[in-house]
Amino acid sequence: MNCVIIEDEIPAQKLVKHYISKLPELTLIAAFQSALEANRFLQNNAVDLIFLDINLPDISGIEYIRTLNNPPGIIMTTAYPEHAAESFELDTICDYLVKPFSFHRFLKAINKAKNGHRKTMDQYTTMEEEASIFVNIDKTLHKILLTDILFIASDRNYITLVTLKGKFTFIDALKTWIEKLPDEDFIQVHRSYIINCKKIEKIKGNLVFLNGQGIPVGRTYKPQFRKRISLG
């Protein structure tokens, strides 16, 4: 994938360049500090993906996207998460990265872009509807609301999706669901579990309870989990 960076902050630009260099499937062909600098280049060169800051001189990243007739995939980068809702109104957006972002989060955005995703996973409904996802079990597609998911458990090659309305077990990898589910609601707390943070009832020792069921928090995942729920 041929990539272009439009970022006016040099340290942030260097970070994206460094992350791109780690992935052989990405080729950085140009970097600019403003959308106006990039405009002529983009009109004359084929680009698959743009890393685009929102706060740019002369014209904002969001305003610039609206001037493009056939924009490529775009990953927004910004230090201001309040712009997320506005940016996701645009169909060309693959993902939205809030600075500073880790390589893990960067890679997740790239995986979405490679699969041709827009806004969020293609299995999701539109932003105007309540977000949902379909799972295929025994040749039947089951629609599951993200707000109904309590946790996802992995056992060898099987996944069990535990929801408020029941359990769904099928062949899949937990890693796939780490990439599918939105970071703001879901977090991995154990090598075998992902939980919905909004469904946490209580925490006791190394167990987090959702709908009365205790889920273990692994030692490796505990610092990230404590940070997420603001326990330091």
Side-chain angles (χ1 to χ4, degrees), residues 42-104:
L42 293 173
Q43 289 177 349
N44 296 287
N45 293 272
V47 174
D48 301 306
L49 185 63
I50 300 175
F51 296 93
L52 180 63
D53 189 13
I54 288 182
N55 291 323
L56 293 168
D58 300 317
I59 182 172
S60 75
I62 292 175
E63 290 172 337
Y64 180 62
I65 293 172
R66 293 191 172 112
T67 71
L68 301 176
N69 291 326
N70 295 296
I74 294 173
I75 295 177
M76 304 300 298
T77 62
T78 184
Y80 303 96
E82 60 268 21
H83 294 301
E86 182 183 5
S87 70
F88 274 121
E89 292 174 1
L90 303 168
D91 289 340
T92 192
I93 302 297
C94 299
D95 207 348
Y96 186 97
L97 298 177
V98 179
K99 305 172 191 174
F101 46 86
S102 66
F103 179 69
H104 168 80

Side-chain angles (χ1 to χ4, degrees), residues 106-121:
F106 176 86
L107 181 58
K108 184 174 181 178
I110 297 302
N111 287 334
K112 289 183 182 181
K114 285 194 298 185
N115 292 325
H117 293 166
R118 294 292 184 265
K119 294 185 181 178
T120 182
M121 280 63 66

Side-chain angles (χ1 to χ4, degrees), residues 149-174:
I149 297 175
L150 295 169
F151 62 90
I152 301 96
S154 172
D155 183 10
R156 297 180 183 176
N157 296 324
Y158 286 86
I159 288 290
T160 298
L161 197 63
V162 181
T163 77
L164 292 172
K165 297 178 181 178
K167 298 181 180 180
F168 302 85
T169 300
F170 47 95
I171 297 174
D172 208 341
L174 194 67

Side-chain angles (χ1 to χ4, degrees), residues 111-147:
N111 287 334
K112 289 183 182 181
K114 285 194 298 185
N115 292 325
H117 293 166
R118 294 292 184 265
K119 294 185 181 178
T120 182
M121 280 63 66
D122 55 347
Q123 297 146 303
Y124 285 16
T125 60
T126 63
M127 296 294 286
E128 289 75 23
E129 299 174 4
E130 191 168 10
S132 62
I133 195 166
F134 286 89
V135 295
N136 190 340
I137 302 174
D138 295 330
K139 299 182 180 180
T140 300
L141 290 174
H142 298 263
K143 180 180 179 179
I144 298 172
L145 299 180
L146 297 192
T147 54

